[in-house]
Structures are given as structure tokens and as C-alpha cells.
Amino acid sequence: MHATRSPRRPRGWWRHGVVYQVYPRSFADGDGDGTGDLAGLRARLPHLAALGVDALWITPWYRSPMADGGYDVADYRDIDPAFGTLDGAERLIAEARALDLAVVVDIVPNHLSARHPWFLAALAAPAGSPERARFHFRPGRGESGALPPNDWRSEFGGPAWTRTTDADGKPGEWYLHLFTPDQPDLDWNHPAVRAEFESVLRFWFDRGVAGIRVDSANLLAKDPALPDLAAVADGSPHPYVDREELHDIYRAWRRIARSYPDERVLIGEIWIRDGARLARYLRADELHAAFNFAFLASPWEADRMRETIDASLATADRAGAPASWVLCNHDVTRTVTRYGRADTSFDFATVAPGIPTDLALGTRRARAAALLTLALPGSVYLYQGEELGLPEVEDLPPHARRDPVHFRSHGENPGRDGCRVPLPWSGQEPPYGFGPADTRPWLPQPGNWAPYTVEAQEADPGSPLWLYRRAVGLRRSLASLRDGAFRWIEAAEDVLAFRRGDELVCAVNFSARPQPLPAGHTVLISSEPAGDGTLAAHAAAWLVPSPPAGPGRPRGHTSTDGNPW
Ligand code: GLC
């Protein structure tokens, strides 16, 4: 039986709520085949409810050969058998809703799987056929057509073109793929492509999903001339990034979202740094929100973080959209590892193996970052395992690796498997409750993850899980964290401090020495013990004004000499 619709879900969860990203393959395995699935996720929904999040975003769960972890979709209207069934997905959506959790699904419109019926039909059809017109097929260059049609490179390394073989066995046309050859790009000038994705949106909205994450949202439109990048003049539009035609596509999608009586939301994956360009996707008749990758990419330094926060709030203001805060996802190095390095910024181009890492430092900083992030105005996106302080797994054996990024870089880039290792839930050894006792997870878990399990952390009030649960809970219950105006307040060097509303102060110490806390305040929550009126090194705290002092009761912390507050 399906759970009944709950009227309690607050409108605007996407404006100030916390969204938890589920990578289903690695979340929880219900049937013990080593791959996470919907049964596992459904059984673990209480963990998400206890964490206090408002929504879950589930990365692709559709039928897929898994050439890119499911971002190679063979059927947008069915669930991959490794994960479960469509009926199971509908039950999950209903059960989540009964727990006040909105469900966001991931739609991949730039490309589909090379095993999708459209692409199989295109390969079987001759050059110039209508079947090929839904993709970017072109003859090669050079006398025998042996050179790719242009100089575009795949986002994952290597050329963005692959040559096909004709029915007679001779080399044929080339097709475009901005990612792997298993992910042919669709031609968004084709009306059937637009119609198909509009129908897919309705399919999932009709099944009760509250939102859609739009994969690679700024790459769909291509210059039909497919010019060489080297030939594009400075200042001219890029032939495939952030093109004007995209906005019309998203206006049509917004009309679909608006055609539902309750709120349906579109969230864009848009990797562009320029805030003014990003804001254009967030106009009132386009996407509702976009991930804030500038925040994710920023180094953990007070000045840089402050600049990024200011720029992000300005972008959101300009667009009338909520700001969003993201530190981690299934594509990037896990936060505690990245923050334990000399260079704490993130850039796909610089991901490399063997970078010296101080995990204890990274963990302190990530705890502080959790309190910073959860105190900012807007929505917060957490990636599964972030609430456990999981580190990146950097020593996966070569035979275990699956990520095409690793293989296409010929091993130079470790790829993204290290942030996708199955979650530890309980017990002392793999599979740590990820699945039944004899489960062999699809990526091996480290032998030292016992302290990271949900079970171990539930028993430890000093654990990341307790910190996240308390902070997310406070964020839900304190009106100032939902609606309170944001205002920086003066603080010592290497400390960022801001007020939300009239009451709440968030202070973050980026330095390696303790810093004084403001006088007259009481600590609500802190990422490290804060008992003596100081904020520990690499720590953050939320404070509220102390109640008026009664006889014999000191007012909050005593001010120290040189206290800047
Ligand atoms: C997005 C996804 C990533 C995937 C890529 C291609 O960036 O987050 O995981 O590989 O799109 O679909």
C-alpha cells in the first residue's frame, strides 16, 4: 500500500531547506548483491528523517549500462533492475513524503546511453537519416574522413568524437560526445528531443517527485556549425557552453513545473564561475535554483570564503532565487580530505593522486564548515557520508576502479570512485551494514571505517553525526536561521562572523590559534569544545545573547583584553 500524501511538507523547502544527496549505488544494499538499491534506501529513510533534512536528491536510478555511474541512461522511464522497480520508486517517493522528505530526481538531458533505443536506431540507420538527426553525426575531416569533425575535447579527456562503422563494415560518420563515447550528445535543435524530455519531466512529476536536478544544464545547446574551438573569436559565444538557446528550453520546463498545482522545482547543475551569467538561469521563468560551485571550489581561507559568500548572495539577490551552499558531491574530493591539504580549493584540472593530507586538520575544518554552511541563508546540499565525516578513499586497488574519468586520463586522474565508496552503517568490518553480512560492496570499503559507522557515531556525542543532527535541527527550529537577515560583523583577523536576524551569531575561526568569542553570548553549538570564552583553532560556533544575569550569575563569556567583538 502506498503511504498517504502528507500536507506537512513546507512550501519553499528548496529556498531554505537542507537537501541530502543519495548516490543509490553506494547508500544501502537491500538484497546483498553489493550494489545499493531502493530497498536499502527505503529501509534507511529513518536515518534521513533523524538527520532532519527536508529533501533527498537521488542521482540517476534509471536503466543504464553504468558506463558513467548511471549518467548514461538507456530508459528514462524505468528503474535499473540493479536498483529495483518503478513500483519500488513510487513507493519510495510516497514513503519519503510521509516522513516530510521531498524527493528530487536527476534528469540527464545532454546525452543518453549508447544503448538507448534512439542511438541504436541511429547507428543502424544510414548517414543523413532521420534517426541520426537527433544526435550530432558528421563526416570526418581529411581525405578519408579519418580525422574528427572538429577539435572539441571530451570533459573526461580525449576527443569528443567517435567514429562509427557502416553496415558494410567500412568506417562511417563520427558522433559527438562531450563525456564518454557511451554517452552520445543529443541535438537540442531537434523538436523530438525537446518533446521527449518535456514528456520525461511530466512522467516523474506525475509520480510525485518534488524537484528535478538538471544534469550538465549549461551544455545542451550547441552551435549548429560545430566550429573548431580554436577558430572561435574572443568574446564570441562558446559553441557549447552557456549558450543563449538554453534559456528557451528552461522556460518551457518551468511552464511544465508550473502546470502542477503544488510546487515542483528545477535545480541546475551549472559549472560557470561568472555570477551574472549564472543568475540568468535563475530568472523567474527559468530554473528555481542552481548548485553553488563557486563555494565548493573556494579555498578554506577567511577572505576567500567571505568574497565567495558575498558574491553568491549577490547572484541570488540579482536573480530573486535562493542562494545554495554545496561543499561536496559525487564528482569531487570529499571535504575532510580536501580541507586537509595545503591547497584546499577544488578544481577538476588539479585532481591528482598522492597529495599529502592531514585528515585530523581536514576533519576539524570540515566540522567548522558544516556550521558555517548551515548558518547561511538559502538551501544547503549535503552529500551522503558528509554527515559522517567520511574521507576520500584514495587507495582503491586499480582493479576495483570503475570511473571513466580515471580510465580516460590513462590513470593520471584517480577519478571519482574515492568519494563513492559504499556507506558504513554498523559493525566492525566491511560491509559495515551496507548490506547483509556476506555482501561484497561494488567498491571495497577501507578496513578502518568502524569509527565512521552510523552506529558508532550515534553512540558518540562528539561525532560528526551528532554535530550535523544538532545543527540541522537548530536550523529547522530557529526562525532567525530561516528568515533572519544576514549581516557580517567585525571580527579578528582570520575569523568570519555574521549575524542572522537579531539573535544568532555564527563565528568561524580559520586560524590555527584560539580566538576570543563575543562577550555577553552563550554558545548554542560549536564544532570543537568551547568552554572558556574562546573559539578553538579551526572551529566554528553559533551563539545567542546570554539571558540577563541574575544575582551571582556572570553574563556570558567574560571579555578578554583585545577582544574585537
Ligand atoms: C554531471 C554528473 C557527473 C556525470 C556528468 C555526465 O557532471 O554530476 O557525475 O559524469 O554529468 O553526465
Side-chain angles (χ1 to χ4, degrees):
M1 223 186 66
H2 289 197
T4 50
R5 174 179 283 256
S6 157
R8 280 170 299 159
R9 192 168 75 219
R11 274 178 73 82
W13 54 267
W14 53 279
R15 287 193 166 274
H16 39 65
V18 179
V19 181
Y20 183 99
Q21 180 190 351
V22 174
Y23 192 75
R25 212 177 179 188
S26 301
F27 188 75
D29 177 8
D31 63 9
D33 66 356
T35 294
D37 49 35
L38 299 190
L41 172 54
R42 286 169 63 194
R44 297 290 187 183
L45 284 179
H47 171 69
L48 303 183
L51 189 55
V53 302
D54 301 274
L56 44 150
W57 148 36
I58 304 171
T59 60
W61 53 5
Y62 318 105
R63 272 189 192 270
S64 164
M66 299 286 161
D68 182 20
Y71 283 94
D72 48 321
V73 180
D75 183 348
Y76 290 83
R77 296 182 184 79
D78 201 5
I79 301 295
D80 195 89
F83 294 147
T85 61
L86 187 56
D87 183 58
E90 290 182 10
R91 283 166 195 271
L92 165 68
I93 294 165
E95 287 163 8
R97 193 193 281 130
L99 291 169
D100 278 344
L101 296 166
V103 171
V104 175
V105 296
D106 209 320
I107 297 291
V108 189
N110 178 68
H111 46 266
L112 36 67
S113 161
R115 310 293 306 163
H116 187 286
W118 278 14
F119 194 69
L120 294 177
L123 284 183
S129 60
E131 287 82 357
R132 289 200 173 184
R134 294 185 287 218
F135 300 90
H136 299 281
F137 278 89
R138 292 288 186 282
R141 292 199 284 203
E143 248 169 57
S144 57
L147 299 172
N150 70 22
D151 64 356
W152 299 3
R153 307 284 297 168
S154 152
E155 302 280 321
F156 291 167
W161 293 92
T162 291
R163 196 166 194 187
T164 60
T165 305
D166 285 339
D168 59 7
K170 296 209 175 100
E173 289 187 311
W174 297 69
Y175 67 90
L176 176 70
H177 51 84
L178 289 184
F179 295 91
T180 70
D182 300 299
Q183 296 163 292
D185 279 44
L186 288 158
D187 184 347
W188 273 85
N189 285 317
H190 197 298
V193 171
R194 290 184 65 137
E196 169 66 0
F197 279 91
E198 291 175 9
S199 152
V200 167
L201 291 193
R202 287 200 183 87
F203 180 90
W204 288 103
F205 282 152
D206 288 346
R207 272 153 191 81
V209 307
I212 296 222
R213 179 245 189 204
V214 186
D215 184 68
S216 305
N218 59 327
L219 299 180
L220 281 49
K222 317 284 181 324
D223 179 341
L226 304 179
D228 274 333
L229 268 178
V232 175
D234 277 356
S236 307
H238 192 283
Y240 62 85
V241 178
D242 187 25
R243 289 182 64 81
E244 200 51 39
E245 301 89 305
L246 290 165
H247 299 287
D248 192 44
I249 297 171
Y250 298 133
R251 283 189 198 107
W253 288 22
R254 183 68 172 247
R255 285 195 290 277
I256 293 172
R258 255 200 314 256
S259 71
Y260 288 80
D262 51 350
E263 207 171 39
R264 307 301 174 106
V265 175
L266 304 165
I267 304 163
E269 187 209 16
I270 303 173
W271 287 89
I272 47 180
R273 293 273 169 107
D274 180 338
R277 298 295 303 177
L278 183 61
R280 300 177 79 247
Y281 292 81
L282 302 175
R283 290 176 288 198
D285 58 349
E286 298 192 37
L287 305 179
H288 294 75
F291 297 105
N292 183 353
F293 293 124
F295 186 67
L296 181 153
S298 172
W300 182 251
E301 290 161 20
D303 292 351
R304 299 291 298 280
M305 272 288 179
R306 181 171 172 151
E307 274 166 33
T308 310
I309 291 168
D310 280 337
S312 309
L313 292 174
T315 299
D317 258 11
R318 187 183 289 135
S324 78
W325 310 103
V326 184
L327 286 176
C328 195
N329 66 30
H330 65 295
D331 292 328
V332 307
T333 313
R334 280 197 178 271
T335 319
V336 303
T337 301
R338 177 161 63 90
Y339 280 175
R341 294 173 172 170
D343 178 0
T344 50
S345 65
F346 180 80
D347 184 340
F348 284 109
T350 58
V351 176
I355 304 174
T357 302
D358 176 347
L359 267 190
L361 174 62
T363 302
R364 278 181 85 104
R365 286 174 166 163
R367 289 173 62 96
L371 291 189
L372 165 64
T373 308
L374 287 164
L376 289 168
S379 55
V380 174
Y381 290 81
L382 301 179
Y383 174 49
Q384 66 181 40
E386 206 174 334
E387 79 281 23
L388 305 174
L390 283 189
E392 184 83 1
V393 179
E394 298 192 273
D395 56 356
L396 285 168
H399 70 265
R401 292 191 180 271
R402 302 286 180 81
D403 186 14
V405 167
H406 177 65
F407 299 110
R408 287 181 69 84
S409 75
H410 305 289
E412 275 172 32
N413 185 321
R416 301 164 296 176
D417 292 315
C419 65
R420 299 175 177 181
V421 171
L423 289 193
W425 292 92
S426 58
Q428 297 301 312
E429 56 193 32
Y432 301 109
F434 169 66
D438 52 354
T439 304
R440 290 191 53 184
W442 70 278
L443 282 175
Q445 299 161 305
N448 62 355
W449 266 16
Y452 290 104
T453 64
V454 173
E455 181 185 56
Q457 296 204 13
E458 272 178 338
D460 173 9
S463 67
L465 183 58
W466 271 63
L467 181 76
Y468 275 89
R469 278 188 185 167
R470 288 195 52 225
V472 173
L474 284 168
R475 187 182 160 92
R476 276 176 92 105
S477 61
L478 293 175
S480 18
L481 280 180
R482 205 170 40 246
D483 312 316
F486 171 94
R487 187 159 54 85
W488 291 112
I489 52 183
E490 212 184 310
E493 206 189 333
D494 278 337
V495 174
L496 288 187
F498 56 86
R499 209 177 274 286
R500 292 294 311 281
D502 292 334
E503 281 195 345
L504 192 107
V505 170
C506 173
V508 188
N509 181 4
F510 289 78
S511 77
R513 49 184 194 284
Q515 301 275 1
L517 279 169
H521 284 74
T522 303
V523 173
L524 269 188
I525 181 172
S526 56
S527 63
E528 301 295 329
D532 59 351
T534 59
L535 184 54
H538 314 293
W542 294 356
L543 306 111
V544 286
S546 305
R553 204 157 137 232
R555 274 198 61 153
H557 302 294
T558 36
S559 190
T560 52
D561 278 349
N563 188 337
W565 301 88

